[in-house]
Amino acid sequence: MLRIEIAPRTLWYVLLAIAGVWIAFKLTTVLIVIVVALVLVGTFDPLVSWLERRGLKRGRALALVFFGFIVAFAALMLFTIPPLMSQVLDMLQHAPKHRDKLVAWLQQYDWSRSLAKSIKSVPLNDLTTEGGNRLLDYSEDILTTIGYAVTTMFLAVYLLADPVRSRALLFAVIPRNQHVKLASILFELKVIVGGYMRGQLITSAAITVFVFILLTIFRVENALALAIFAGLTDVIPFVGGLIASAPVVAAVAGSGPTAMVIVAIIMFVYQEFESRILVPRVYGRVLRLTPAVVLVALLVGGKLAGIVGALLALPIAAGLQMLVRELRVDLPGEAPPDEQVRERDEKALEVYEQLTEGATAADAAVIAAELAHKIKETEKTGTTITSELPAIVAELSSTLPADPPVEGAVMEPETEPDKKDRGDD
């Protein structure tokens, strides 16, 4: 007889997991706001810290950064929306004439006559009316999105205004023996977010310059506005390339169907270059994600949370992968962590407990962050934390308040003769 018994604690864990998943689905919007705010914090914190090191107080540096961001965003909208709307209205006005030219060009060839009939049967006037009605239907959702965006921005400002207190609250609810790992995770998250945002800026700037040069060659009006629009929409996974390419192809309709085909081919080739060469080189080192993981992450993020989920899919996937690595989770088929890594973790925890004896949560958060940074530096240089221990202790001791319990904990490692003498005594 096979008898299976389930402990009450296991049942509680299962119920708590189900409740956590249910709450997460109910609070999806709130979680998205928090995640986006944390992404903004990771994006702007290096710049705010850089200004702070140059002599500005943190409040002024934060105000300067966000003021510059708002001015830059407003300038982009000013240079993009009015010319783009003018271009769209012009394309809608001349759409029937351009369609007739395209149909006449396609009817010259046997293989494209069926396509010409399909294009000729498209009701352009009905599409324009339906598009306007859809825009009115989505107006409430647009206003709601703007409200969430403002809330996210203010949450990011609050977190950036007093990062020590924010970290202290987080460290106060986490057991002290996990503080070093937590600080290491936060450090890696900052690296991931910073690298992801730099990658987005690089790819958006690249397609903006490319589209501007392409449209300038074809002498298209409002080439800059269309190029900026392409750069903004390029950040959207999957459909971003299509959204960016459609106005570019339509803008050269005045030059004839041949020009439209050439531009469409050029944009397709560029999208292939970006997805297969540029993006892996830009994101590969920071996110450390394989192409298969990238594709699955984008599909899952888009399915769960739409465009926002697809935008956040890559940093979230990279963050989960980093959590597995930093928490030393033994996955099936993976080799167990090296013994030297475990020894390093134990040494780091020992140093942290000595340095933070009697310290507040805010001081402990600062020390843990500095210690995690030193550990990452020793990883890059190839040295061991044991060899760097005296220097790390001496440097971190300068960040502590001068009280007896913490000062007494800062000491040089004992040598073998010292241990023997102490044992004889």
Side-chain angles (χ1 to χ4, degrees):
M1 179 181 295
L2 179 63
R3 185 175 182 180
I4 300 175
E5 295 183 357
I6 301 176
R9 180 181 298 180
T10 304
L11 291 176
W12 278 110
Y13 286 159
V14 172
L15 292 176
L16 288 176
I18 295 174
V21 173
W22 180 79
I23 293 174
F25 275 105
K26 288 294 182 180
L27 300 178
T28 301
T29 304
V30 178
L31 293 176
I32 290 176
V33 169
I34 294 174
V35 171
V36 174
L38 293 176
V39 170
L40 292 178
V41 170
T43 303
F44 293 122
D45 184 66
L47 184 56
V48 174
S49 300
W50 181 81
L51 292 174
E52 198 173 9
R53 289 193 299 269
R54 295 300 183 275
L56 286 178
K57 293 184 178 180
R58 188 167 187 87
R60 294 180 181 179
L62 183 61
L64 182 61
V65 168
F66 274 90
F67 178 75
F69 173 76
I70 293 173
V71 170
F73 182 77
L76 281 177
M77 295 299 101
L78 181 63
F79 281 109
T80 304
I81 292 181
L84 191 62
M85 293 300 297
S86 175
Q87 190 76 22
V88 169
L89 293 176
D90 183 70
M91 286 190 296
L92 291 176
Q93 183 179 357
H94 296 87
K97 182 175 66 175
H98 294 324
R99 182 185 63 177
D100 295 339
K101 287 183 179 180
L102 181 60
V103 169
W105 183 74
L106 292 174
Q107 286 179 344
Q108 297 176 3
Y109 309 98
D110 295 336
W111 59 269
S112 59
R113 287 178 181 174
S114 59
L115 180 60
K117 291 181 181 179
S118 301
I119 295 176
K120 189 175 182 179
S121 62
V122 175
L124 294 178
N125 294 330
D126 295 342
L127 289 178
T128 304
T129 304
E130 185 179 355
N133 293 333
R134 288 288 183 90
L135 186 61
L136 290 176
D137 294 338
Y138 287 125
S139 59
E140 183 177 353
D141 295 335
I142 293 173
L143 293 176
T144 303
T145 303
I146 293 174
Y148 281 125
V150 174
T151 303
T152 304
M153 187 69 67
F154 275 102
L155 178 59
V157 171
Y158 292 149
L159 293 176
L160 282 170
D162 196 354
V164 175
R165 183 176 298 179
S166 302
R167 283 187 300 177
L169 179 62
L170 183 60
F171 276 76
V173 298
I174 299 296
R176 180 153 294 199
N177 60 352
Q178 301 295 328
H179 281 188
V180 179
K181 289 184 178 180
L182 176 60
S184 181
I185 289 171
L186 295 177
F187 179 82
E188 289 289 342
L189 285 177
K190 185 182 295 186
V191 173
I192 289 173
V193 171
Y196 177 71
M197 295 306 295
R198 285 194 300 271
Q200 290 285 14
L201 290 175
I202 291 173
T203 54
S204 295
I207 193 174
T208 300
V209 174
F210 178 79
V211 170
F212 178 74
I213 294 174
L214 179 63
L215 294 180
T216 303
I217 293 174
F218 283 89
R219 298 180 181 180
V220 175
E221 294 183 1
N222 301 321
L224 180 59
L226 290 171
I228 295 175
F229 177 77
L232 294 175
T233 56
D234 186 67
V235 302
I236 304 174
F238 295 123
V239 298
L242 180 61
I243 296 175
S245 301
V248 176
V249 175
V252 299
S255 300
T258 305
M260 295 178 64
V261 173
I262 292 174
V263 170
I265 294 175
I266 292 175
M267 291 299 297
F268 174 77
V269 171
Y270 178 84
Q271 293 295 334
E272 288 295 310
F273 163 78
E274 181 182 282
S275 60
R276 299 183 183 276
I277 298 178
L278 186 60
V279 169
R281 289 183 177 273
V282 170
Y283 294 117
R285 294 182 179 179
V286 177
L287 300 185
R288 301 175 185 176
L289 297 175
T290 62
V293 174
V294 169
L295 182 59
V296 172
L298 292 175
L299 289 173
V300 173
K303 183 65 176 178
L304 292 178
I307 294 178
V308 177
L311 287 173
L312 299 175
L314 294 184
I316 290 177
L320 293 176
Q321 180 176 273
M322 179 271 300
L323 282 176
V324 172
R325 184 177 66 253
E326 292 294 332
L327 295 177
R328 316 288 182 238
V329 178
D330 295 336
L331 296 177
E334 292 286 342
D338 189 8
E339 189 64 29
Q340 185 177 359
V341 176
R342 295 186 183 277
E343 182 182 355
R344 185 200 67 185
D345 293 342
E346 293 175 359
K347 289 289 184 181
L349 180 60
E350 180 182 350
V351 171
Y352 176 74
E353 289 178 348
Q354 290 179 359
L355 292 172
T356 58
E357 185 179 352
T360 63
D363 293 334
V366 174
I367 297 168
E370 291 293 333
L371 183 58
H373 181 65
K374 295 299 178 184
I375 293 174
K376 296 300 178 183
E377 287 184 350
T378 58
E379 288 180 353
K380 292 179 180 179
T381 57
T383 57
T384 61
I385 191 173
T386 305
S387 62
E388 298 290 332
L389 187 58
I392 292 175
V393 171
E395 185 172 352
L396 291 181
S397 62
S398 62
T399 64
L400 298 175
D403 53 357
V406 179
E407 287 183 353
V410 178
M411 61 184 70
E412 296 289 338
E414 294 180 329
T415 60
E416 292 299 326
D418 294 334
K419 292 181 180 179
K420 293 180 180 179
D421 294 341
R422 188 181 63 181
D424 295 338
D425 294 339

